[in-house]
Amino acid sequence: MAADKKKHKKDNGDKSKQKKASKKSADKSATSKTAKKITASEKRKAVMAQFKNARISDVSDKVFVADSVLHGKGLFASQRIKADTVLGRLVGKPTFDDGIYVLWITDDLGLELVNDFKYINHGKKPNAAYTDEDVTILRDVEPGEELLHDYGW
């Protein structure tokens, strides 16, 4: 009879351990599910928080505008952007006068950019390019990386 009591206590102990292990597993699962619920918007805000005067861009949710160490303001990736991604279309008004945000289409005709693509700064190792009327990513770009175009100077 004493052996039966010991066995019964041991069985209850095993069941108790199983319940605790199951609860720990459920808690871990809930925690990992919570971690996966970070939205793209929250990730974008976290990247932007690392920059001075950062704001959402008017051209794509994949980029934002912030102060640049290269020159004034810059356009930065808010998420990983794969090569060959077309970010959007250049928007501007035709001009015959030179200016800070003018892209020259011919020797005589320029396009004064009015959207945030005007903040893409010059770099000898570009990761973006103006292709016809669009901006295209040349290589994979990481979150927080500034978009650069070779102006050809």
Side-chain angles (χ1 to χ4, degrees), residues 37-109:
K37 289 185 180 180
I38 296 173
T39 66
S41 176
E42 290 168 327
K43 288 179 185 178
R44 181 173 44 250
K45 286 178 184 175
V47 173
M48 290 173 62
Q50 300 170 31
F51 292 82
K52 281 181 86 175
N53 300 316
R55 67 166 176 79
I56 295 171
S57 173
D58 65 5
V59 294
S60 171
D61 62 352
K62 296 177 182 175
V63 295
F64 63 94
V65 176
D67 290 354
S68 170
V69 295
L70 298 177
H71 177 76
K73 293 193 179 298
L75 198 61
F76 297 83
S78 61
Q79 62 188 51
R80 188 166 198 269
I81 308 171
K82 292 189 176 200
D84 300 321
T85 299
V86 176
L87 284 181
R89 203 157 281 267
L90 298 168
V91 176
K93 44 191 175 175
T95 185
F96 300 102
D97 300 320
D98 201 5
I100 189 166
Y101 300 121
V102 174
L103 293 177
W104 289 98
I105 298 165
T106 69
D107 288 341
D108 300 321
L109 180 63

